[in-house]
Amino acid sequence: MDQEAINALRQETVQPPKMILGGRAVSARSGKSIDVVSPIDGATIAQLPDANEEDVQEAVTGARNCFDAHTWSKQPPAARKKIMHKWADLIEANALELAVLGVRDNGTEISMAFKAEPLSAAGTIRYYAEALDKIYGEIAPTASDTLGLIHKEPVGVVGAIVPWNFPLMIAAWKIAPAIAMGNSVVIKPSETASLSLLKMVELAHEAGLPDGVLNVVTGSGAVAGKALAMSMDVDVLAFTGSGGVGRQLMQYSAQSNLKRVFLELGGKSPHIVFDDCDDLDAAAAAVVGGIFRNAGQVCVAGSRLLVQSSIHDDFVRKVAALADEMKVGDPLRLETQVGALNSEIHLQRILAALDKAPSVVTGGKQILSETGGYYVAPTIVADIAPDHELVRDEVFGPVLTVNKFDDEAEAVTLANDTELGLAAGVWTGSLGRAHRMVSAIRAGVVHVNTYGGADNTVPLGGFKQSGNGHDKSLHALDKFINKKTAWIKL
Ligand code: NAD
C-alpha cells in the first residue's frame, strides 16, 4: 500500500452503483435512490439504488430459479472450488481499489480496512472453497437389515443482511459458506456501505460464478431488508447487525415462512487486566487498539475495561496516554489509526451518549468538524457506576468505560453483568487463572494475553443476546445445510 496510489484512487469518480440481479446490473424499478454520503468529509459521492419489495422479489425468484436449475449446486466440487479461488484471486488483485472505495463509503481507516476487508474476504472465500469437498454425509449405526443415510443438502435460497462496519469481511462470512454448500444467495448490504460489496460481487461473475447464484439488492433496511426477511421463498436468513433489528427479523420469520434466522449481534465486551499480567504495556496497547480502531465500530470492541484495584490508577494513566497519541482523522491517510464514524446520524447518537458521561479522563467530544466529516476523539470514562447506561449499552463508537475489581470472583461478576456476550479479553500471567476465566466468562470468544485477530479456523458467535449463530470455521457451514435421512430396508 502506498499513499500516492491511495490518493489517486480517492479522486476517482464513483461509477453509478447498480444492483446485481441474475448477473445483470440494474437500477431500482422505481428509479429511486439514496444519497451515498462519505463520512470522511460529508460529500455526496454516489446515488445508491433504493430497492422496493418488487426488486427484492425479483432477486429472490432469480436465486430460486438458479437453485432449482442446479446450475451451481450440481457442478463438480472441483469446478466450484476453482471459481471461488479465481474470485479470491481477483479480489486480491483489486484489493486496494476495493479498500479505498469501501473507506470512502464507510470511514474505516485504510490501514485496517485493507487487511480486514478485501484481504480478509478473499481469505474467507478460499477457506470455504477448500472446505466444500471435505463435507461428507453420514451412515447411521442401524440394525443390519436397514441402511440409514444422512445426506447433507444445500438449503436453497439464503438471504443475508449485513452492517456497515466491515461490509466485505462480514458479507464473505455469509456468502462463502453458503455458496460453498451449493446455495443461491440474495444479500442486502447496509445503505451506508454498499459500494465495495457491489464491486466485489462483480468480480465473482468475472471469476465465472453463474448468473443468479449471488445477487445484491441495495436500499433501506425498512423496505428492502424487511422484504427479504418477509419473503416466502428465502429458506435461511443470516444477519449481522444490531439487536433491535435482529428481534424484528425473528418476527418477520414468524409472520412469513418460519425461515431459519441466524443472528450475529452487538457486544459490550469486557477487557480484564489482572495485576499478575506480565506485560502491562502490551496490555495497554491491546486495550487501546481493542476499542479505538475503526473508531470503536467493531462488534467485538473491548468497550468495558476492568482493572484490578492494585494497578488501576497507573494502568488507566497508561491507557489514556496511548489514547491521546492516536492519530484520528482522514481514514485515507496511512498513518491514521482512528477513522470516521459511519454517518451523521451515528455521530449524533454517540455524542448524545457522551452527554451522559459523569466524567471523562480524556476525549469526550467531536473533533475535526471543519472537515465536514464525522470524528470523535478517543474517549475514556472512569469513575462510573457499573450499572450506568454507558457501561451497559453498546455505544459502537470510540468510548471506553473503566471499572475496578479486587479479586478474580469480582472480575467474573462484573464481566458477566451484561445482557450481551460476544467477546472478552483477559490479561494474566497465570495459566490457571487464564483457563478459569475462559470457562467463567459467558461470551463467544475469550482472548487471553491478546485481543482480536481470531482467524477463520475458529467460530465467532454470541452468547446471550449477542446472537444465536456462528460465522467462520467449519461450524458455519451447518447454517446452510439441510440434513436429510434416507431410511432404506435392505
Ligand atoms: P443495523 O442493525 O442498524 O443494520 C444492519 C443491517 O440491517 C443493514 O443492512 C440495515 O439496512 C438492515 N436493516 C435495518 N432495519 C431493518 C429491518 N427492519 N428489516 C431488515 N433489515 C433491516 O446495524 P448497523 O448499525 O449497520 O451495524 C452495527 C451493529 O452491528 C452493532 O450492533 C454491531 O455490534 C453489530 N455487529 C455485529 C457483528 C457480529 O459478528 N456479531 C459484527 C459487526 C457488527
Side-chain angles (χ1 to χ4, degrees):
M1 256 198 307
D2 77 279
Q3 190 61 57
E4 275 184 29
I6 295 168
N7 293 347
L9 284 166
R10 77 184 297 168
Q11 306 297 340
E12 284 184 4
T13 306
V14 177
Q15 293 308 308
K18 297 269 192 265
M19 304 193 288
I20 303 177
L21 271 54
R24 289 175 307 116
V26 298
S27 304
R29 282 164 190 250
S30 66
K32 285 193 183 152
S33 62
I34 300 174
D35 284 348
V36 178
V37 176
S38 176
I40 300 176
D41 55 8
T44 299
I45 56 172
Q47 303 291 323
L48 189 70
D50 189 8
N52 62 18
E53 290 84 353
E54 286 163 14
D55 294 306
V56 174
Q57 188 51 48
E58 183 185 338
V60 173
T61 303
R64 172 64 60 192
N65 291 342
C66 167
F67 182 73
D68 288 347
H70 308 299
T71 46
W72 175 242
S73 62
K74 292 282 163 70
Q75 280 198 29
R80 284 188 279 141
K81 182 187 284 203
K82 201 167 163 192
I83 289 172
M84 288 181 72
H85 276 299
K86 178 86 195 325
W87 184 20
D89 291 344
L90 290 173
I91 292 169
E92 284 164 356
N94 292 278
L96 191 62
E97 190 189 335
L98 285 163
V100 172
L101 185 61
V103 171
R104 292 173 74 186
D105 202 3
N106 86 337
T108 305
E109 57 277 4
I110 187 80
S111 56
M112 179 180 233
F114 185 64
K115 288 191 209 127
E117 282 282 277
L119 297 189
S120 158
T124 299
I125 292 162
R126 290 195 195 286
Y127 179 87
Y128 289 106
E130 283 306 322
L132 68 79
D133 57 2
K134 296 172 189 68
I135 302 298
Y136 293 81
E138 294 163 23
I139 301 175
T142 55
S144 59
D145 63 346
T146 314
L147 182 60
L149 300 177
I150 304 167
H151 294 275
K152 294 185 177 172
E153 298 185 345
V155 293
V157 177
V158 172
I161 301 179
V162 293
W164 42 259
N165 57 339
F166 295 103
L168 301 188
M169 175 172 80
I170 295 173
W173 288 348
K174 316 291 187 200
I175 295 168
I179 65 171
M181 292 297 97
N183 298 286
S184 298
V185 175
V186 178
I187 186 164
K188 196 209 83 70
S190 166
E191 50 275 50
T192 58
S194 294
L195 301 182
S196 56
L197 180 70
L198 288 168
K199 175 77 195 161
M200 187 168 89
V201 172
E202 242 178 76
L203 297 176
H205 290 96
E206 210 176 308
L209 193 72
D211 293 348
V213 178
L214 177 54
N215 308 275
V216 192
V217 287
T218 57
S220 73
V223 176
K226 181 175 178 184
L228 192 56
M230 288 287 286
S231 168
M232 295 300 287
D233 216 11
V234 167
D235 299 290
V236 163
L237 186 65
F239 173 72
T240 295
S242 61
V245 174
R247 282 186 160 73
Q248 283 179 305
L249 298 184
M250 295 194 109
Q251 288 171 357
Y252 298 153
S253 166
Q255 289 161 18
S256 56
N257 64 341
L258 290 176
K259 59 181 71 62
R260 298 204 288 262
V261 180
F262 295 103
L263 304 174
E264 309 299 332
L265 309 174
K268 193 72 193 178
S269 301
H271 206 153
I272 307 161
V273 184
F274 286 95
D275 64 5
D276 64 2
C277 166
D278 293 327
D279 188 347
L280 286 172
D281 290 333
V287 166
V288 162
I291 179 64
F292 297 130
R293 295 305 306 270
N294 199 11
Q297 301 161 112
V298 178
C299 57
V300 296
S303 50
R304 288 189 295 138
L305 176 59
L306 305 178
V307 191
Q308 197 150 18
S309 307
S310 47
I311 57 168
H312 175 273
D313 293 358
D314 283 349
F315 191 75
V316 172
R317 262 194 296 278
K318 224 184 249 292
V319 170
L322 290 177
D324 288 344
E325 279 169 18
M326 290 190 100
K327 291 200 165 34
V328 188
D330 184 348
L332 285 173
R333 299 290 313 170
L334 278 170
E335 65 277 14
T336 296
Q337 295 167 299
V338 182
L341 294 164
N342 177 251
S343 65
E344 163 96 54
I345 292 175
H346 192 49
L347 167 74
Q348 295 307 335
R349 212 184 282 150
I350 287 169
L351 293 176
L354 285 177
D355 274 348
K356 297 174 190 147
S359 65
V360 292
V361 176
T362 189
K365 57 180 188 306
Q366 183 181 2
I367 54 173
L368 302 170
S369 54
E370 68 281 5
T371 61
Y374 317 129
Y375 304 91
V376 164
T379 299
I380 300 176
V381 183
D383 296 322
I384 182 166
D387 60 355
H388 191 285
E389 62 190 89
L390 264 188
V391 185
R392 301 201 90 78
D393 301 340
E394 184 184 45
V395 177
F396 217 57
V399 182
L400 179 70
T401 60
V402 192
N403 289 102
K404 54 176 98 163
F405 64 85
D406 288 330
D407 55 20
E408 199 175 301
E410 194 185 4
V412 170
T413 303
L414 287 173
N416 285 337
D417 186 16
T418 166
E419 291 173 344
L420 303 173
L422 193 56
V426 177
W427 289 80
T428 175
S430 156
L431 186 60
R433 170 170 278 165
H435 281 290
R436 286 194 300 275
M437 292 299 289
V438 168
S439 76
I441 292 174
R442 294 186 65 203
V445 52
V446 183
H447 308 88
V448 178
N449 295 337
T450 186
Y451 202 87
D455 68 17
N456 266 317
T457 58
V458 288
L460 174 65
F463 281 32
K464 301 193 267 184
Q465 294 179 36
S466 284
N468 64 0
H470 285 107
D471 281 324
K472 307 198 301 169
S473 85
L474 296 180
H475 298 288
L477 295 167
D478 289 344
K479 297 188 294 192
F480 307 115
I481 292 171
N482 275 334
K483 293 186 196 72
K484 179 189 280 172
T485 295
W487 188 254
I488 302 169
K489 190 77 184 160
L490 298 178

